[in-house]
Amino acid sequence: MQTSKDFLHIFLDMGDALLNSGAEIFRVEDTLNRMGYACGAAQMNVFVITSSIVITMEFPGEGARTQTRRIREGGGNDFTKLEQLNDLSRRFCSHPVSAAELRKEFDKININKPNPFWKLLGSLLAACSFALFYGGSIPDTIAAGIGAVLIWGLQQYLRPVCMNEVTFQFAASFLTGCAICGFTVLCPFLHMDKIMIGDIMLLIPGLMSTNAIRDVLIGDTLSGIIRLIAALLLAAALALGFMGAIILFGRLGL
């Protein structure tokens, strides 16, 4: 006979994976609530914010059991995994299975990591397209592509060693800004503003801002405010990083 103890940990893992794949707060709470009732819970209470998940389950004949998960990783965007997790939750609600079987299906999805090559390709496409769209020349587009490769490398190797996302955002924008300023010094025919526009787009917290506004509008005010403050801090770090690079090269007279 299944109990809340069997399902609580897997539900926390599901919520963690959903949050780090770009899911909204309402989606995480609704998914876990539906899965809990589908597996036989008499009462489900799920509370989610960007940094914590609290689940209370009560099965017939046993007392309520609560577990909390502190979310320490920064929210990511993996819509492929998000779609797979949504599909798993719908299949589970339609045909509930044991906790062991659910764990097996979840691990198959969660173990898959995005291919870094596709992220690099997407970064190149976005940076070059925006630089060209905003009036950049072909050389500007190529320089924006080189900046995109630098940002991708920093995301792969510098982000894991940074203490938080704001620190990484400032470091990545400053180093990328210095590289772009260096390009314009070596090649005076390049347009620094057009190159920066293309590369800035890779670091703007657009989805975080959108989810923050959505959370506020549907009533998840606390989570929305937290996400909005985080987005504003990241945007400020992004601006300060590029401004710092421009001021540094201006002071050096380059």
Side-chain angles (χ1 to χ4, degrees), residues 243-254:
M243 285 173 56
I246 295 171
I247 293 171
L248 175 63
F249 274 73
R251 289 284 180 87
L252 294 176
L254 297 175

Side-chain angles (χ1 to χ4, degrees), residues 78 80 112-123 152 156:
D78 188 346
T80 300
N112 294 326
K113 302 297 181 183
N115 190 334
F117 172 77
W118 292 113
K119 188 170 185 178
L120 172 60
L121 189 62
S123 298
W152 173 83
Q156 292 294 118

Side-chain angles (χ1 to χ4, degrees), residues 51-241:
S51 59
S52 179
I53 301 175
V54 182
I55 303 177
T56 299
M57 292 183 68
E58 183 176 351
F59 272 60
E62 68 172 72
R65 190 186 299 268
T66 301
Q67 282 195 17
T68 302
R69 171 72 56 86
R70 176 75 165 88
I71 308 299
R72 299 189 180 278
E73 295 182 14
N77 305 318
D78 188 346
F79 292 143
T80 300
K81 181 181 288 188
L82 181 58
E83 182 181 359
Q84 293 172 342
L85 291 170
N86 283 333
D87 179 65
L88 174 60
S89 67
R90 292 188 181 99
R91 286 189 283 113
F92 179 81
C93 290
S94 300
H95 301 93
V97 296
S98 66
E101 184 65 25
L102 179 62
R103 165 65 68 182
K104 183 178 178 182
E105 293 294 323
F106 170 76
D107 287 342
K108 287 180 183 177
I109 297 172
N110 200 45
I111 199 172
N112 294 326
K113 302 297 181 183
N115 190 334
F117 172 77
W118 292 113
K119 188 170 185 178
L120 172 60
L121 189 62
S123 298
L124 284 169
L125 179 62
C128 294
S129 298
F130 277 112
L132 196 62
F133 178 80
Y134 284 102
S137 61
I138 296 300
D140 295 335
T141 304
I142 295 173
I146 296 173
V149 174
L150 173 60
I151 291 173
W152 173 83
L154 293 172
Q155 289 173 334
Q156 292 294 118
Y157 303 107
L158 178 62
R159 175 176 279 163
V161 300
C162 284
M163 64 178 69
N164 54 51
E165 195 66 19
V166 175
T167 304
F168 167 77
Q169 188 86 334
F170 177 79
S173 56
F174 178 76
L175 293 174
T176 304
C178 288
I180 294 172
C181 291
F183 293 157
T184 56
V185 169
L186 295 175
C187 306
F189 56 85
L190 293 175
H191 302 90
M192 181 175 65
D193 56 338
K194 304 299 190 295
I195 302 170
M196 282 191 175
I197 286 173
D199 289 332
I200 282 173
M201 293 299 179
L202 303 179
L203 296 170
I204 289 178
L207 182 62
M208 183 182 292
S209 304
T210 303
N211 281 343
I213 296 171
R214 186 183 189 280
D215 288 341
V216 171
L217 291 177
I218 65 176
D220 294 321
T221 310
L222 179 59
S223 299
I225 291 174
I226 292 173
R227 271 186 167 156
L228 184 59
I229 292 173
L232 291 174
L233 286 173
L234 291 176
L238 173 63
L240 288 174

